[in-house]
Amino acid sequence: MKISYNWLKQYIDTKLSADTISTMLTSIGLEVESMEEHESVKGGLEGFVIGKVITCEKHPNAKNLSLTTVHVGGQHLLNIVCGAPNVAAGQKVVVATIGTTIYMKEEEFKIKKSKIRGEDSEGMICAEDELGLGTSHDGIMVLDSDAKVGLDAKDYFNIEKDYIFEIGLTPNRIDAASHLGVARDLVAFLSQDHKVKLLIPDVSNFEVSKPTDPISVFIENTEACIRYSGLSISGIEVKASPDWLKQRMEAIGLKSINNVVDVTNFILHELGQPLHAFDRDKIKGNKVIIKTLNDKTPFVCLDESTKELSSQDLMICNQEEGMCIAGVFGGLESGVSNQTTSVFLESACFNPVYVRKTARRHGLNTDSSFRFERGTDPNMTITALKRASLLILEVAGGKIDSEIIDIYPEKVADFPVQLSYRNIDRLIGNQLDRNHIKQILQGLEIKIVAETSETLDVLVPPYRVDVKREADVIEEILRIYGYNYVQIDHKVQSTISHKMHPDSHQIKNLISDFLTANGFHEIMSNSLTKAEYYKELTSFPSDKLVTIHNPLSQDLNAMRQSLLFGGLEAIAYNANHKNASLKLYEFGNSYFYNPDNQSNNLLNAYSEEFQLAFFISGNRTAQNWLQAESPSGFYDVKTYVEQVILKSGIQSFPNVQEEISSDIFDYGLSYTAKNQGLLAEIGSISPKLLKAMDIDQPVYFGLIHWDQLLKIIKISKVVYTEIPKFPIVRRDLAMIVDQSVTFSQLEQLAYKQERKILRKVSIFDVYQGEHIPEGKKSYALSFYLQDETKTLNDKHIDKIINHIASAFTSELQAQIRS
C-alpha cells in the first residue's frame, strides 16, 4: 500500500522528516518496505528559471530561427537561439539554463553551450512538453506578465517534492489502509511524548440545496448490506481533474480518470471508505435496491467483460436490472461518463464474507473489494459522503439536491473488552505506568468506560475488526508503547530438551546440503493446488482430495495429494523462460481425505504425509568446447534417490525393487524395505501428463516417503564389517523375456539361486523393437559377486551364472542371448 508523505502531513501537525516517520511506522507495526522520492514533474524542474525576452531578431543564417537575448535575473543577458514561431520581445518565458536536463517521454538530454548556424546559444526557451507540463510542442510556453524574472520555475509552478512509503500492510490491519488510518496510528505514538491532534477533514460546510425528487433506497438483504448511505448531486461538469487532485492520484500510482471518479478514489485513499458514483439519469425508476439476483444472470462490467452472476452475489440494482456488483465492480451502463450531469453517490458498508466470496468467484480484485473483504468502518459512511460531495462541488460544480439517505438496519456497537493490569504486565513483560496505558488507549480511540484498581473496561471501535479479545488490546498497547522499550531480563530460563532419534530436522539439513552441492535447487510450492490436475487420475483419485469450501480461486481449490504438480508447474515456467535444464527438490506435506476412516470422528478422515520430491529435466551438462550436450535420464534420478536413502543413515539398501507403470509414470521403479512398506518411487513422467502441463521435454521424478524413511532409520543399526580383501567380479547376461516379466522378478530369482556371494544385481539395458519378437523385450543384467574369504576363479563364477541362467530359462521362459 502506498502512502504519500505530503498527503499524510495534512492530518498531523508535524515537521518530522520522511525518514523519521518511516522508522516510526515500522516500529508500530506498519512496516515500511521501501521509500521513494516522487516529483510531480520528472526532474522537479531543476535548472529552469523564469526569464524575459529582451530582444528578438531573425537568425541571419536560418529563416526559421530567431536570435534572442533573455534576462534571467543575472548580471548578463543570455544569448539563445530559438526555433519557436511565437517567440517575441517582452514575453515572460521558462528558460533551461546550461547544465539542465530535459526529460521528454523516454528520452533525456542536457543543455550545453553551443553554436547554432554560427551563433552562440546559452540555453533554451522551453515549450510545455519540454518542461513536462503538457504535450504541446506548437511553440514556447508564454507566462503571465506578472511572472517574476529569476524565480525558479519549480517555485512558480508549485512543483511538489514528495516521498512515497510502500507499507507492507498485514491482513488484520485494514484500519490502516488509508492516509487517515496511518495518521491515527502515528498520532497515538507521538502523543506519548506531547499532545498531537489528529486533523480530521472538516465537513461542517456541508449543506443541502432545495431537495428535488429523491432516489429511493431499499435493502432486501440486510445480512449482506450492513449500512447504505447516499445522496444526489446535480449540475456537475465531468472534466479533467485539477492539478492538485491529479498529483495526489499519480503520487500513489493511480491514473487520473476524471474529476468525479478521482474524488471517489481520493476519498478511498484518504478515509479508507470506498465510494461509487452512479449516473443518476440512468437509475431506472429512481430506485436503488440492494439484493441478490437469480443464478447465472449475465452482467456487463465497467471493463466490458460479462460475468455470470451467482445467486449469492450482492448487487446494487435499479428497478429493472443490476447496476453494480456490490463492493467489487461497477457496471458499464451506470457509470459516470463525460455526458453525466448528475450523480447519485453511494457510501456503504457490506458484509466482508459476501464481498470476499464474490470477488474470488469472479476473479476480481479491486481497491474497493480489498477493503470491503477485510471490513470497513460502518460509522465512516456519512463523513465520507459529506467529504466527497464537498470536493465534487469544488472540482465539478453543481449542487447537493437531496438529503442524505442513510439506512442502518442494525447498528454495529463498540466491542466491550475487560483489561486486567496483571495480564498487561504479564504479557508485555514489564510493568507499565497505569496512566501511560490509559493515554495509549485514548490515542487509539479505545474508550475507557469503567476502571478499578485492577481492571479497565473498554470499548473498541468497530473499525478495529481485529481487536476482539483482551490479548488483542494488550498487543495494541505494546505496539504503540514500543517493542524496543521492553526490558530484557538478564536471567536465562530454559528447559532440558530430549533429542529424538532419528532427528528429522538434522537429516533434512544433511540431505538438503547434499542435493544443493550436487546442483539441485530447492523449491517451495503452494500446498493449495488445482483440483482439475487430479481429474481422471487413478494414482491420485480425485475423491481423495481435501477440497476448500471457500477457495481464493479455482486454481487453488484443493490441497495437494502429491508434490508432483507443484514441481511440474515450476519446470513449465522455467522452460518457457529459456531455463530448461533443471534439477529441483522439495520437502513438503501432501494431504489426503479418506471417508472410510471417518467412523465417529470426522478428523480421522483427514491425513497428511511429509515427502521429499526430486525433479530432473533437460541436459545433464551444457554444450561447450570440451564436450557435447548430455541429456538427463532415468538413471540420474535413480542415482540421487538411492544416494539420499543411503546418506540418511540406512545401513543396507532396501532389497525389493519393482517396476511400475501408471498414469503418472511412463516407466519406473518402486523401493520397498522388507516388512516396512513403500519407501520410494522413481520414474519418467508420462508424455500425456507432460502435454497437459505444457512441457515438451522429458521429466524424471523421484519421491521419498519421509516418515517411512525415518522408521527404517530408527530400527537400522550401525554394523561394522571389515573392508573385503578380495576383489568383486562382474558378469553380464542378456536375455529375451515376456513383456510381463519385471526386473524385480529376475532379481529375486537370482538371489534365490545364490545367496552367499551374489552382492548386487542391476539392469543396464532394456530394449523393445526391431529384431525382438512381438510381446517380448530384451533385458541386460549385471551380476556382482564377491567372496570375502578367497578370490573367485572363472570355474566357480561360470557355475553360478549358469545356474542363474538356467533358473531364468526354466521358471521365466527366458531366452539367454550369447
Side-chain angles (χ1 to χ4, degrees), residues 275-336:
L275 303 176
H276 190 75
F278 296 95
D279 188 324
R280 179 176 167 174
D281 295 333
K282 295 179 181 178
I283 301 178
K284 297 175 183 178
N286 275 355
K287 290 183 179 180
V288 171
I289 307 167
I290 299 93
K291 62 179 182 178
T292 55
L293 297 177
N294 293 332
D295 206 28
K296 297 187 178 180
T297 299
F299 177 73
V300 182
C301 297
L302 200 59
D303 61 356
E304 300 185 7
S305 65
T306 300
K307 303 295 181 184
E308 198 172 74
L309 299 176
S310 162
S311 58
Q312 298 300 309
D313 293 335
L314 187 66
M315 298 292 295
I316 311 299
C317 307
N318 56 38
Q319 192 170 1
E320 299 179 10
E321 60 193 1
M323 299 187 295
C324 172
I325 303 177
V328 180
F329 217 52
L332 181 63
E333 298 300 325
S334 61
V336 173

Side-chain angles (χ1 to χ4, degrees), residues 80-96:
I80 297 177
V81 177
C82 181
N86 64 329
V87 64
Q91 292 173 334
K92 297 289 181 68
V93 295
V94 182
V95 178

Side-chain angles (χ1 to χ4, degrees), residues 244-258:
W244 71 266
L245 185 52
K246 285 182 180 178
Q247 289 175 9
R248 286 283 177 261
M249 295 296 99
E250 291 169 0
I252 58 173
L254 296 181
K255 183 180 179 181
S256 176
I257 298 173
N258 60 51

Side-chain angles (χ1 to χ4, degrees), residues 157-172:
F157 290 105
N158 295 317
I159 300 303
E160 187 175 72
K161 186 176 182 179
D162 199 358
Y163 295 93
I164 306 301
F165 304 121
E166 183 70 48
I167 294 179
L169 196 67
T170 52
N172 63 313

Side-chain angles (χ1 to χ4, degrees), residues 3-35 162-167 179 182-183 185-187 189-190 196:
I3 293 293
S4 159
Y5 169 68
N6 289 344
W7 194 349
L8 187 65
K9 289 198 297 181
Q10 292 187 353
Y11 314 109
I12 315 174
D13 185 13
T14 181
K15 294 182 180 179
L16 294 173
S17 68
D19 284 329
T20 302
I21 286 181
S22 173
T23 302
M24 288 180 175
L25 289 175
T26 298
S27 72
I28 59 177
L30 301 177
E31 184 181 357
V32 177
E33 296 177 337
S34 66
M35 185 178 76
D162 199 358
Y163 295 93
I164 306 301
F165 304 121
E166 183 70 48
I167 294 179
H179 285 76
V182 173
D185 264 17
L186 274 176
V187 167
F189 180 76
L190 294 171
V196 179

Side-chain angles (χ1 to χ4, degrees), residues 194-314:
H194 57 279
K195 193 67 177 175
V196 179
K197 188 177 180 182
L198 181 65
L199 306 176
I200 299 174
D202 182 21
V203 294
S204 59
N205 292 333
F206 177 83
E207 186 178 6
V208 179
S209 301
K210 184 178 179 180
T212 58
D213 187 21
I215 297 290
S216 301
V217 176
F218 305 92
I219 301 179
E220 292 188 7
N221 190 333
T222 55
E223 179 191 5
C225 184
I226 298 168
R227 186 176 188 179
Y228 194 93
S229 310
L231 58 77
S232 298
I233 305 174
S234 61
I236 65 169
E237 181 187 358
V238 178
K239 56 184 179 180
S241 295
D243 289 342
W244 71 266
L245 185 52
K246 285 182 180 178
Q247 289 175 9
R248 286 283 177 261
M249 295 296 99
E250 291 169 0
I252 58 173
L254 296 181
K255 183 180 179 181
S256 176
I257 298 173
N258 60 51
N259 49 0
V260 175
V261 175
D262 286 355
V263 165
T264 62
N265 285 332
F266 178 88
I267 296 300
L268 182 143
H269 290 277
E270 180 188 50
L271 304 179
Q273 173 62 45
L275 303 176
H276 190 75
F278 296 95
D279 188 324
R280 179 176 167 174
D281 295 333
K282 295 179 181 178
I283 301 178
K284 297 175 183 178
N286 275 355
K287 290 183 179 180
V288 171
I289 307 167
I290 299 93
K291 62 179 182 178
T292 55
L293 297 177
N294 293 332
D295 206 28
K296 297 187 178 180
T297 299
F299 177 73
V300 182
C301 297
L302 200 59
D303 61 356
E304 300 185 7
S305 65
T306 300
K307 303 295 181 184
E308 198 172 74
L309 299 176
S310 162
S311 58
Q312 298 300 309
D313 293 335
L314 187 66

